[in-house]
Amino acid sequence: MKIALASFGQETNSFSQKKTNIDTFIMYGLHKKEEVIEKKGKTSVISGFLKKLESYSDKYRVIPIFRAWAGASGIIEKDTFNYFKEELQNNLAELTDLDAFFFDLHGAAQSEIYHDTEGELLELARKIVGSRTIILIALDHHANVTRKMITNIDAVVAHNDQPHKTFDTGYRAGKLLLHLLEDKGIKPKISLKKIPIITHQEQFLTDNGPMKEWFDYARSFEKLPGVLSTSTYPMQPWLDIPEGGWSAIAVTDNNQELADRIANKLADKAWKLRFDFLKTESLEPEKAIDYALKERGTVILSDTGDSVFGGAGGDNTQILQEMLRQNVREIAFIPIVDAEAVVAAREAGEGQIITIKLGGKLDPEFSTPVSVTAKVIKLGGGILKADILGLESFDVGEAAHLLVNNIHVVVTEKTGVSGNHPILYQHFGLNPATAKLIVVKTASNWQFYEDICSKVIRVNTMGSTMSQLENFKWNNLPRPIFPFDQISH
């Protein structure tokens, strides 16, 4: 029996200034055919999926097509999306007698020509493989699920956790697919319930608060007989598309009424918790830094408005400027994406002093360059090896370690995962445990510093991933939607 395998993931920030092109995918690793399995890594969705199918290798042949992952960034350029569409079409068309197609997706990608890129790809896949071939998808739980996506699949699984346990998602997908293939009597029924909610990211973690309550509620239904999967989707909040909003999904064995009832209950639960999802914890930069300096140990400062995992550029200078204004003398680590600064450092050479305008170039609406005099400590960069979010490496381009007073600034040509993983500093011989303050360009994924940090403080910065969603210019989002509008639910 034959199972086709592909992966396409990009989390679009509709308000980001940088477009997503083929180079963005290459930066995180673009693989085809057998290289997909060779480069799967240890924690990816694909690795979990293949692990579950491992003992069935004599019965099922997995045929990899491509793995294309671009992290989070701006809208996908037309030619780039058409490239992957053609790749999918050409490869699937070559396969005959296909029993299943497993498509690992993010679920929140937007292109210049399609608001619903995943729906477009799935509709194409269904036309090629036909109605008898099982199409199973895995989604990030920050996906925006559309009716076109659901119409063209048999079943779906999603991440159960934030931060994501990608391997577990893939393993559950493999388990469900085997269940569908081994028991021909199963007839999956899917129910999608859209929820008119969009909220900021500060309550997105699933280990506490309202998100834990909602996700735990979804898990409780999976214990019921005949329930194949349940999933909840708090859509990432910077996606401006016509079918945007949160979602709840239930998949059952030939019981549409049960699927509808569960999806409705999950949607009602989110609605009851809607005001809890609006609670903010972030502090203004001045207060956040002052508070952090009084804490013991290493403190993480989460730059919420410049989250590269939400599609921001990674060059916001608001926290850096406040550190300089306060004349912070403690050791601090900050990542900044600035290709021009890297060039200046390289041309000057290691050990030299340079005066430059740093950062604030990619998103000038929310951030401005800051003039600094810095010492070029070391030059570096390239592909960094790290097990992060299902990836095994990422390319930062050329990079430089600059020292501004006691602030260690690692400047990179490309975004990569910015300083959200210690490997960026370790690459330059820096030990994050020696820092008092570490700025991360994410509002949720600081887990890679958990063993050294004593506290995490979210900083309320303005940018393309800021919590003040009402400050964006929305053109496509369906209305009414909470909390922008009054809704009688």
Side-chain angles (χ1 to χ4, degrees), residues 337-373:
V337 179
D338 190 332
E340 292 179 13
V342 173
V343 171
R346 186 187 67 233
E347 290 179 347
E350 294 181 354
Q352 300 304 306
I353 304 297
I354 59 174
T355 298
I356 57 174
K357 289 187 179 296
L358 183 60
K361 303 179 181 77
L362 298 176
D363 196 1
E365 181 179 354
F366 297 107
S367 178
T368 57
V370 55
S371 295
V372 298
T373 297

Side-chain angles (χ1 to χ4, degrees), residues 461-485:
T461 52
M462 298 297 103
S464 59
T465 59
M466 62 186 173
S467 295
Q468 291 78 7
L469 302 181
E470 66 278 4
N471 290 346
F472 292 118
K473 183 181 179 182
W474 298 91
N475 297 312
N476 302 300
L477 193 69
R479 309 298 286 265
I481 194 166
F482 176 85
F484 298 161
D485 307 299

Side-chain angles (χ1 to χ4, degrees), residues 20 24 31 57 139 141 168 185 217 243 247 249 255 268 297 350 380 399 409 411 418 422 468 487:
T20 297
T24 317
H31 309 301
S57 59
L139 293 175
H141 70 232
D168 292 351
Y217 190 55
E243 209 175 333
S247 306
I249 293 178
N255 192 334
D268 289 342
E350 294 181 354
V409 183
V411 187
S418 196
Q468 291 78 7
I487 303 177

